[in-house]
Structure formats: C-alpha cells, structure tokens
Amino acid sequence: MTLRTAVRVCAVAVCCTSWAGPLAALEPTTGAAARAAAAPRPRVGLALGGGGARAAAHIGVLEVLERLRVPVDCVAGTSMGAVVAGAFAAGVAPKAMSVELARADWSDMFVDEPDWDERNFRNKRLTQRFLSGTEIGINPHGLQYRPGVLTGQKIKLFLNRLVHGDRSDREIQDLPLTLSIIATDIGNGERVVIRDGSLSKAMRASMSIPGLMAPVEYDGRLLVDGGLVDNVPIQEVRERCNADVVIAVNVGSPLLDATDVTSLFSVTAQMVGILTEQNVGHSLASLRRGDVFIKPEMGDITATDFERHGQAVQRGRDAALASAARLRALAVGELEYAAWWSRITAGRGEAPRVDQIEVAGSPQLHPQAVLRHITQELGQTLDIDRLHRDLLRAYGDAHFESADYALLPMGERHVLRVMPQPKRWGPDFFRFAAGVNSTLKPGSTYSLRAAYQKTLLNRLGGEFTATGEVGTTKALAVDVYQPLDPGQRSFIEVSARAARAAAIVFENDDKLSEYEVSSRTYGIAVGLNLGLIGQLRLGWMSQVKRYDLDIGPPVFPPGPFHTPGWFTGVDFDQMNHPSFPSKGWAASVSYFAPNDAAFTRLSAEGRAAMQAGAFVVAGRIAYTDSPHGVLPFHEAASLGGLLNLSAYATDQFLGDEVQYAQVRIERVLQRLPIGLSGDLRAGLALEAGRIGVRYTETSRAGWQDSVFLYLGGPTPVGPLYLGYARSSSGSANAYLFIGSL
C-alpha cells in the first residue's frame, strides 16, 4: 500500500461515520488495482429496483460502490429506483443525493397545491366553496375525470432540482453514463424503456403510481409506474451495455398486513406491490454466476416511510458491505475511478445567467397571465428556489395540470422557457361540495352544492360559473368574472343569486319563531387583484328580502325589503391554511351605503395565527356597525354558531354594533397521512361578543362568553370539528361539522 493510500485510509477511519470502519478495511488493495490495470475490467451494469421510500437504500449501496471504487458502465432504474438511477447518471454524488432526499418534505410533496397564502384570491374563494378533488372536466370528448389524485407538480419540480435542471435541460441521451428508465404504458400494459428525452420527465413517469399520480404523456403514450412490468430491470442493463456483471438491488416491499393499509397512499402501494411481485421473480431468475445480488434487510420500513430515509440508507450500506468481497473484485485504481467519475460529472457547470423568459404551451391564456408570477431577473443567475415558488403560484391559479420549465442555450444566451400544461380534462368543469353542521340547538344545517364552471372564455382568462344548492338553503346563482388586462390585475364581475333559507328567532335561549327568508341579490363590481395578498372591490348591488312566518308569533314584518346601494371592500388573506392555519394573517373591511341613505354598514375583521412547537395560537376579532343610522333587522349582523360564540345557536343574536373576539389554543396531535395537507388538532377556544342594538335575545345585554373544546382537522371533503361549548350563563351546544357550508 502506498504512503498516500495509507494516509487516506487512516483519515477515513478517523473522520467518517460509524459505517466507515468496515469500509476502510475493505479498501481495494494495490494488487486489485494492478490486476485492473493489467487487463480490461469487466463491464458492469447496475439495476435499481422500485420500492417507494425503501429505495433510499440504493443510496447506501452507491456509497459503498463509491468507497470501493467500483465504476459502472450503465444503470437502469424503476419507479423510485429510477429517481436514484437518474440522479446518479446525472452526476449527483450519493452523499449529495442523500442530503436532497432527506431534506425533502414528502408529506407536502404529495399535495400538489401551493400553500394557501401562495394562491390567488379568486381561487381561494372557489376552493372554500367547492372541493378541488371532485372536479370533473367537460370538453368535446364528453365528461373527463382527473387522471389521478395528484398531478405530481411538486414532485416534478423536486426532480428538476435533484438532477440540476437549473443548469441545463438534462436529456437522457446526453448523459455521460448510459441510462435506462422503465415505465408502463397504461393503454396496453407494455413495458416501455426510456432511453432519451427529458430526464426528470422520465423519472416522474416511472414513479406514477396508478390512481394516485396522473400518468405522464411521453411520445404519444401515457406512462405509469414501471414496477408493474419490470421492477428490477436486470435484463435491460445486461443488454444495454453488454454487461459482463450485473449488480442488482431489490428493495421491493413485502405486502402489507391488512391493518397497515390505512391511507390512500398505502392502498395504492399495496396494489402496486401485488403486481410487481409477479415480475420480480422472473427478473431474478435471469441472474448469472458472477452477478451480484443485493437485497437490503428493510425490516418494518415501508414504501411510505419517507421520514425514515436515514435508516433506509443505512440498510443499503449494510447489505452492500455484506457483498463487499465480490464487489471489490470489480474495483479499479484510484486514478481510473477518479477519471470515470469526472466524466460522469463533466459539463454540469454552474447555473447560467437568464437572458430571456418565454412562455410555451398555453395558447388559450395570454402569456402575461403566467409571466406575472415569474420574478426571475433578466441578466441574473437562475434562482431555482424563486422559480419553483413562482411556478407553484402559477399552478395555484388552477388553470394548469402542471407548470414546468426548461433552460435552453441559444448561442451565447440562455432562455428560460416556462411550460404550463392546460388540464387535459378541461377547460370546463363540474364542481361539487357537501356539508353537515349537526348541533344540540335548533338550526342544524346540511348542504349539497354543484356548479358548472366554464373557464378560459378568452385569452384574458374570463370565467362563467352557475351554481345550484339544495339542503337547508336552496339557491341558484350565476357569476361572470372577466379580467381586464393580460396580467389579470384588474377585473369586472357580474353576479346574481336567488335563495331561500330558514331563519330562527331566539329569546331567552329558546326558539321563539321561525321564518322562511327569500332573497334575490344581484350586483356588479370592478376590482384590483393585489398580487396574491388580496383583492379590492368597488361596485353596486341590490337585494330584495321577504320574511314569511312558518312557526310562532310574528316578530318581523314580512316585507319585501329592497336595499340597493354602493359598496366597497378590501380583503387580505395570508394564512397558510383556510381552516387550520399555523401561521399568517388575514384582514377585511367592507362598507355598504344604500341609495336611500337610511343607514350605512361597516364591517371589519382580523385574524392571525402562529405556531410554537406543537402548539398553535390563533386569534380573531370582528366588528360591524352602522356609522349612519341603525342597521335594520334584515341587514343586521349576527353572533352564534361554530367559532362565532359557539355555546349559542347559529345566528342566535341579531343586531347592530356587534363586537366579537376569540383566542384559540390548539395542540397538534398528529400530522395527516401522505396525500393530505394539514394535521389533527385538539383545541380550546375562548370567545366573547356583545351586541348594542338587539333584535333577538333582547334581554341579554352586555358581553356574552363561550368556551369551546374540540377536535378538528382538514379532511378530503372539508374541515372537521367535533366539540362541546358552554357559556357562563349556562347555554351549551355541541357540534359535528364536516364539509363546506
């Protein structure tokens, strides 16, 4: 052993982690290096199998190959094995790969939408009224359903970062290391081997779990997870580079126990596992004498345990070490290995300067509607973090199935091409929502809501929405929203709504009367979108209400009451979640002045939230008053109901000069499974409110209070609350609330 090598071995023994000791002892000997120099080394192919989160074990195997100086001539991968194989072929060192995979928030990555505060204001309001997961498309081919629960927007951007897509558009055929990626044609079940084209797109296609993630269109085919047809692509590497030796790594999952199939991701992973077991045995049967088969002992690490990344990497190291004697026979000298790795990383360079930005692939929408989100400065180095944030914002406009990019050299210049992909199941949609609010007090409600939304009426992004609702409230509504400039900064909106609902009058905590309230509302507004922060409006509206007595003594005159007038308002919403935020703020102010000037209405509200460890503290204040005159009963503000003086029935208090304050303290109990955004919480809400001029509960003067204990969290159909509230006056209420009302 040379002095230089001896020093290097000693340094590794002192500095490396606990697994480096055995590796140092297995350092290739001078004799092995000499034999490698004397005769052509065998051609080595590396096959990395799929296995979800378990595929992190491949990184541990690569670390051992790196330490033993074992070069490979080609690599093939399937599913998450394709992700590791693609990154390796792109020149990402195992250690760097491990860092990137470890810092990724996989729970967030399996939720396509950006954080709530990164979405435009209109999309926030539509999402609160309708469930995005129920979106059914309408186009010339008829009804079209979403191709998967996820489109994979965040996953694709992560893959771009992993393979250094910020430095060039990585094409498989241009990589120094021969790479094959395995996928499945969902149309005919054929095995598809991808050997050219976009690297990150091919990786994304290979890991598209059917039903969970949308297929990827690639050369006219729709591709899904390659594990369905070839989960450990041994034959591919043997044939692709005429490999003398194949190193095959199988991290496939054993089938889960029925009790462990508890989430959407685990259900789909179980389905894929059943199918892949059928082809793995056939692949392993093709191994020959001299091949190296590595099967890490993964224990109870499942395909969904992304948070156990470090453990999976260690299992891969351990398994490779067990085969170290056979791997060492494939080792080369230090200089030869360095030259091989230098060739793999050649040409990667630094992130280039962006000289031009263009939009491609969205003829139905003006390019400026996309470019308004892109904040990359021309003449500056590409800022990959900023670009990914901006693309998520563009995706959050809800027009696109994906929003990707490519960095293209044009002579001495570099063009950043933004590539939004319109939804294949659009541009028109049916949307749905449902909700139930069951309480101890009178006034339980339920709702079923459906809408027809026609988007992209023109290149400025005009929309038409017609909504119908049945349940406690019956309603029909139409809305036309038309941006006035390509960047969608200004807009005009015309709306009309007819509704019928029950209204209960309370006195001394008892139901006194019940009315059926009919209303017709129509209006027009012009407005400004204030970036992603909020919206400013100015307009005219008219409302006609009629009160028909159903039960009890008459309290209000029947009407009709016609109230036309001008309004203005500003809304800001920078919360990070619509129902269970952990940080952010929101505020709104509105003013309405009827034509007859008998009264005016001013309303203001502020909300804020912050998190400290496992606790979230949130607050809300609200105020409604009539600066001129007194609000009539048909325009009155209200208190009572869920998180609005929870101990009382919905709208139990009606009147003018309404003040309300709330403090919520929530304990995060558990983060929701992969594929769902948010967490399960136990909460305590302290509430207080008062009404100056009272039309109901006329004997309850002064401040009213409520203490509300609850469990809550987001669900696929909307927020869920289960809790009990009580006031110091003895009023009590209980809630089971789920959905959208």
Side-chain angles (χ1 to χ4, degrees):
M1 179 179 292
T2 65
L3 176 62
R4 178 182 177 185
T5 304
V7 171
R8 185 167 180 264
V9 171
C10 291
V12 170
V14 171
C15 299
C16 290
T17 56
S18 59
W19 58 274
L23 281 178
L26 294 168
E27 181 76 16
T29 64
T30 304
R35 288 193 299 273
R41 67 174 180 84
R43 296 183 62 79
V44 178
L46 178 63
L48 303 180
R54 294 159 63 99
H58 292 316
I59 299 174
V61 174
L62 292 178
E63 288 177 343
V64 174
L65 295 181
E66 178 184 52
R67 187 66 183 87
L68 294 178
R69 300 198 299 268
V70 177
V72 300
D73 297 278
C74 63
V75 59
T78 299
S79 193
M80 281 297 291
V83 172
V84 177
F88 187 59
V92 181
K95 182 178 180 180
M97 203 184 308
S98 183
V99 169
E100 286 292 332
L101 291 177
R103 78 175 186 176
D105 185 346
W106 289 93
S107 294
D108 179 67
M109 204 176 301
F110 281 93
V111 177
D112 285 320
E113 289 78 12
D115 284 346
W116 190 252
D117 55 334
E118 294 290 297
R119 307 187 200 185
N120 72 63
F121 189 83
R122 178 170 175 80
N123 189 31
K124 289 175 184 176
R125 295 300 172 255
L126 287 172
T127 302
Q128 286 176 315
R129 287 186 55 79
F130 304 102
L131 302 175
S132 58
T134 64
E135 186 178 82
I136 299 176
I138 309 168
N139 60 28
H141 302 290
L143 295 180
Q144 303 290 314
Y145 298 93
R146 292 173 62 96
V149 176
L150 302 175
T151 64
Q153 172 65 24
K154 292 179 182 176
I155 292 173
K156 180 59 167 63
L157 294 180
F158 168 76
L159 296 177
N160 288 356
R161 181 197 299 275
L162 182 63
V163 301
H164 300 293
D166 58 325
R167 301 176 189 180
S168 66
D169 190 29
R170 310 306 299 269
E171 299 283 322
I172 294 176
Q173 69 274 15
D174 297 331
L175 298 175
L177 180 60
T178 301
L179 171 68
S180 298
I181 288 179
I182 311 300
T184 304
D185 187 326
I186 194 63
N188 55 25
E190 289 182 353
R191 172 177 173 269
V192 177
V193 181
I194 305 174
R195 297 177 176 176
D196 56 21
S198 168
L199 171 58
S200 59
K201 186 176 182 179
M203 294 158 69
R204 163 68 179 84
S206 183
M207 62 180 295
S208 298
I209 302 173
L212 178 65
M213 297 174 64
V216 173
E217 187 173 353
Y218 208 105
D219 290 339
R221 292 178 151 188
L222 289 178
L223 303 184
V224 296
D225 198 312
L228 301 177
V229 290
D230 191 0
N231 200 46
V232 185
I234 295 170
Q235 199 60 33
E236 170 61 20
V237 292
R238 194 183 305 282
E239 296 174 356
R240 184 76 193 277
C241 61
N242 193 25
D244 300 305
V245 177
V246 172
I247 302 173
V249 187
N250 180 21
V251 294
S253 301
L255 298 181
L256 301 173
D257 292 332
T259 55
D260 295 327
V261 183
T262 57
S263 67
L264 176 63
F265 193 92
S266 61
V267 169
T268 51
Q270 181 82 331
M271 177 191 69
V272 171
I274 293 171
L275 295 174
T276 55
E277 284 298 309
Q278 300 176 17
N279 64 69
V280 169
H282 177 75
S283 294
L284 297 183
S286 68
L287 290 171
R288 302 173 182 172
R289 184 186 301 272
D291 292 338
V292 181
F293 177 58
I294 300 174
K295 184 173 176 58
E297 178 51 58
M298 303 303 294
D300 62 348
I301 300 177
T302 71
T304 62
D305 286 335
F306 290 97
E307 72 281 359
R308 299 178 67 181
H309 163 87
Q311 296 176 47
V313 172
Q314 184 60 51
R315 303 289 175 87
R317 292 189 194 114
D318 294 341
L321 285 171
S323 299
R326 301 180 65 191
L327 293 173
R328 190 170 59 179
L330 305 174
V332 298
E334 193 169 330
L335 292 179
E336 183 178 352
Y337 186 84
W340 171 82
W341 183 245
S342 178
R343 180 174 62 85
I344 302 302
T345 58
R348 202 168 69 190
E350 299 297 325
R353 182 185 67 248
V354 176
D355 301 295
Q356 180 181 338
I357 303 174
E358 64 181 28
V359 177
S362 183
Q364 295 174 293
L365 190 63
H366 196 286
Q368 194 60 39
V370 178
L371 289 175
R372 67 191 171 108
H373 294 293
I374 308 301
T375 58
Q376 170 68 43
E377 296 181 16
L378 295 180
Q380 299 297 317
T381 300
L382 179 63
D383 186 331
I384 190 66
D385 292 326
R386 175 185 289 187
L387 177 60
H388 284 192
R389 180 204 64 190
D390 294 346
L391 290 174
L392 282 175
R393 288 175 169 179
Y395 179 87
D397 284 349
H399 293 306
F400 307 120
E401 180 176 348
S402 64
D404 205 355
Y405 67 95
L407 195 60
L408 307 175
M410 299 289 185
E412 297 297 321
R413 295 167 57 83
H414 288 87
V415 176
L416 174 62
R417 178 173 294 170
V418 180
M419 301 179 295
Q421 174 64 45
K423 293 178 178 178
R424 285 175 283 179
W425 59 96
D428 303 335
F429 308 97
F430 284 125
R431 298 181 180 276
F432 303 93
V436 173
N437 183 22
S438 179
T439 69
L440 285 180
K441 289 187 174 289
S444 294
T445 59
Y446 73 96
S447 173
L448 297 173
R449 186 180 303 127
Y452 168 70
Q453 183 186 23
K454 190 173 183 62
T455 70
L456 301 179
L457 295 174
N458 45 57
R459 295 195 78 206
L460 295 181
E463 297 181 7
F464 167 82
T465 306
T467 305
E469 184 174 345
V470 296
T472 310
T473 298
K474 301 171 181 62
L476 291 173
V478 293
D479 178 89
V480 178
Y481 176 84
Q482 178 60 60
L484 299 177
D485 63 284
Q488 299 186 355
R489 289 178 291 272
S490 59
F491 64 90
I492 185 170
E493 187 169 12
V494 180
S495 60
R497 184 174 188 265
R500 182 176 296 173
I504 300 175
V505 178
F506 287 87
E507 191 66 40
N508 298 321
D509 220 24
D510 292 324
K511 177 179 176 180
L512 178 64
S513 301
E514 183 171 341
Y515 286 85
E516 182 179 78
V517 182
S518 302
S519 64
R520 300 191 308 275
T521 307
Y522 46 94
I524 183 170
V526 294
L528 293 175
N529 288 310
L530 307 175
L532 298 176
I533 298 177
Q535 197 174 83
L536 173 66
R537 288 172 173 262
L538 172 66
W540 177 88
M541 64 173 290
S542 177
Q543 181 169 260
V544 179
K545 282 188 177 181
R546 180 176 179 85
Y547 287 73
D548 295 314
L549 183 65
D550 277 346
I551 302 172
V555 179
F556 304 137
F561 302 96
H562 185 202
T563 314
W566 294 91
F567 70 90
T568 186
V570 61
D571 282 280
F572 300 103
D573 189 347
Q574 285 293 281
M575 293 292 196
N576 68 337
H577 194 279
S579 305
F580 295 91
S582 58
K583 65 178 181 178
W585 62 275
S588 64
V589 178
S590 64
Y591 183 79
F592 176 60
N595 292 346
D596 61 11
F599 68 93
T600 58
R601 177 180 173 129
L602 174 67
S603 296
E605 181 181 32
R607 294 180 291 136
M610 62 176 292
Q611 184 166 5
F615 290 90
V616 175
V617 179
R620 172 177 168 243
I621 56 173
Y623 173 80
T624 301
D625 194 9
S626 178
H628 172 71
V630 176
L631 292 178
F633 76 91
H634 55 85
E635 292 290 334
S638 67
L639 287 176
L642 181 65
L643 293 172
N644 193 43
L645 279 187
S646 306
Y648 298 91
T650 302
D651 298 338
Q652 185 167 337
F653 297 87
L654 293 177
D656 192 10
E657 300 178 62
V658 175
Q659 302 168 53
Y660 173 82
Q662 169 204 109
V663 174
R664 295 163 64 177
I665 302 173
E666 297 175 334
R667 173 68 159 83
V668 176
L669 302 178
Q670 182 178 349
R671 192 166 186 178
L672 295 180
I674 285 179
L676 297 177
S677 176
D679 41 51
L680 178 66
R681 302 180 183 183
L684 167 68
L686 305 177
E687 306 173 84
R690 68 173 293 274
I691 294 184
V693 178
R694 299 179 299 281
Y695 295 114
T696 62
E697 293 292 359
T698 56
S699 63
R700 290 182 181 267
W703 286 90
Q704 310 298 315
D705 59 55
S706 173
V707 177
F708 182 35
L709 294 170
Y710 59 91
L711 288 174
T715 76
V717 296
L720 167 69
Y721 289 93
L722 177 65
Y724 177 80
R726 190 172 183 86
S727 72
S728 60
S729 66
S731 183
N733 207 352
Y735 292 90
L736 171 58
F737 179 100
I738 186 169
S740 174
L741 290 173

